[in-house]
Amino acid sequence: MRTLFAIAFLGLLGTFQTQAQGVVEGTSSMKVGDLRFGAKMSLMLTDLVGDGVIDNSVAPGFQFGGAAEVPITDDIFFAPEMLFSFQGANGIDVNLFYLNFPLVGKYYITDKIAAEFGPQFGILLSDNIDNIFLDSNTLDLGITFGGGYYLMDMIYLQSRFNFGFTKVIENVKSYNATFQVGAIYYF
């Protein structure tokens, strides 16, 4: 199933690249250079929140992976990402390793400042929850929002919040919550 998600994501990127090139070559003022691919790295503060979570605290985490910007209009872009994310919570000592797919839209308020919003889908690759006598959910669905700033033409600084809707631990009201600060280097 994980392989299927990865193939679907890469196919989606290819489809948007083809469509964006068609728009660029045909009827739009967008340039081919507007379609961008990059590498992303973020530091995160992660936690599990919910009524069923007792005695936990924020844990440090990080993520890395790839990002793209696909032009829709001059100000609106589709910005899919594929990220390996190390998350969890201290206190209850939960460590989670996800393959996350944020599928956000970017609205450029100015040439350098953008607001971001969209869904995030995550596939749990590994955890230590079995060690504490509980079961974990394989799929994590959530919403992500934040913004970014182009420091230079190729470096995009970003901060985001992500809140999960799917229980991380089955039979316990426990949801992922992250705050991330990072950068994307566009090629």
Side-chain angles (χ1 to χ4, degrees):
M1 182 168 187
R2 293 176 187 151
T3 304
L4 179 63
F5 277 109
I7 290 169
F9 179 72
L10 293 175
L12 183 67
L13 282 179
T15 300
F16 279 109
Q17 180 179 6
T18 302
Q19 289 176 349
Q21 286 175 348
V23 168
V24 169
E25 293 168 0
T27 60
S28 175
S29 64
M30 288 184 259
K31 301 176 188 83
V32 173
D34 290 342
L35 177 66
R36 305 178 95 173
F37 294 94
K40 178 177 177 176
M41 177 77 168
S42 297
L43 297 176
M44 301 190 309
L45 295 176
T46 70
D47 202 356
L48 294 179
V49 296
D51 296 340
V53 180
I54 304 169
D55 189 30
N56 72 326
S57 60
V58 173
F62 68 94
Q63 64 186 1
F64 63 92
E69 270 192 342
V70 181
I72 306 296
T73 70
D74 288 341
D75 298 329
I76 299 173
F77 286 69
F78 175 58
E81 298 173 358
M82 186 170 84
L83 305 167
F84 292 97
S85 299
F86 296 90
Q87 300 173 208
N90 283 334
I92 56 174
D93 191 31
V94 172
N95 298 308
L96 307 163
F97 179 46
Y98 284 98
L99 179 58
N100 284 323
F101 298 94
L103 304 174
V104 300
K106 280 186 184 177
Y107 173 71
Y108 279 92
I109 300 165
T110 70
D111 287 345
K112 293 187 177 246
I113 299 172
E116 304 174 5
F117 180 79
Q120 177 172 294
F121 305 94
I123 301 167
L124 184 65
L125 300 176
S126 70
D127 64 31
N128 69 337
I129 292 178
D130 291 338
N131 297 337
I132 55 175
F133 309 109
L134 298 169
D135 291 324
S136 57
N137 282 321
T138 305
L139 189 61
D140 184 46
L141 305 173
I143 193 80
T144 187
F145 61 92
Y149 173 76
Y150 265 105
L151 182 63
M152 296 187 287
D153 186 44
M154 299 170 73
I155 298 175
Y156 181 73
L157 303 178
Q158 181 182 63
S159 68
R160 262 193 209 154
F161 291 96
N162 179 62
F163 295 100
F165 300 136
T166 308
K167 292 179 186 175
V168 174
I169 302 169
E170 291 182 14
N171 303 320
V172 176
K173 289 186 179 180
S174 56
Y175 307 95
N176 277 313
T178 66
F179 172 70
Q180 37 190 284
V181 176
I184 300 173
Y185 179 81
Y186 286 105
F187 308 114

